[in-house]
Amino acid sequence: MTAVNNSRIASWTEKASRAASAVTVLAASLVLVGWAIEVPILKSFFPGQTSMRPNSAVTYILAGIALWLLREEREGGKQGPRRRWGNALAVVVTLSGALTFSQYVFGFNLGIDQLVFRDPEVPVAGLFPGRMTPTGALSFVFLGLGLL
């Protein structure tokens, strides 16, 4: 591959990561707005489907911000403040998923499921109000680890 092709690929991936982080933050923010003003279509994006839990939306926002911050390359072998903040947010994303998943595995309630909004609705039988699904929690674990 030539240097020109490598430059084009690097430019494209930079633009793709910028777009992905912006779309993620925007979509998750719309979900939180939907919860705040009780607009069902903003909570789920698809009529009749289960709504996204508020803690999932917050975790997506943190993941999107982390991706945005982690785009910066290391300069001189040092980690800049953007990269440190991005890594810190990636750890929070990982912990959010791990703590939620552990609630399912070990059968306890940490009380983190309704920190953002009180959600009396149980989206699916067997789940807890406000709690993201086990697969969603595990996905956040892998997403956070991928960001690290």
Side-chain angles (χ1 to χ4, degrees):
M1 232 185 247
T2 66
V4 173
N5 285 342
N6 286 340
S7 176
R8 285 185 187 154
I9 291 171
S11 174
W12 183 87
T13 57
E14 171 70 18
K15 289 175 185 172
S17 69
R18 249 188 277 167
S21 61
V23 167
T24 300
V25 170
L26 177 64
S29 296
L30 286 174
V31 169
L32 290 180
V33 169
W35 278 94
I37 62 174
E38 291 297 320
V39 176
I41 190 73
L42 292 179
K43 293 185 203 180
S44 67
F45 295 111
F46 300 104
Q49 296 298 312
T50 305
S51 60
M52 181 187 294
R53 305 291 96 187
N55 55 347
S56 294
V58 169
T59 307
Y60 274 119
I61 289 170
L62 296 176
I65 294 170
L67 178 60
W68 185 271
L69 293 172
L70 291 170
R71 292 176 306 109
E72 179 182 306
E73 291 295 320
R74 294 181 187 199
E75 295 177 13
K78 296 181 181 179
Q79 284 192 354
R82 285 180 56 163
R83 183 162 286 278
R84 283 191 295 274
W85 278 106
N87 284 334
L89 291 176
V91 167
V92 172
V93 169
T94 305
L95 286 175
S96 173
L99 289 173
T100 301
F101 190 71
S102 70
Q103 291 180 109
Y104 285 109
V105 171
F106 299 112
F108 58 86
N109 185 1
L110 294 172
I112 60 174
D113 305 317
Q114 297 197 40
L115 288 176
V116 182
F117 288 97
R118 282 280 183 233
D119 180 17
E121 172 189 332
V122 176
V124 178
L127 295 183
F128 300 86
R131 188 175 296 177
M132 66 180 86
T133 63
T135 53
L138 201 54
S139 295
F140 280 125
V141 170
F142 293 126
L143 175 61
L145 291 173
L147 286 167
L148 288 172

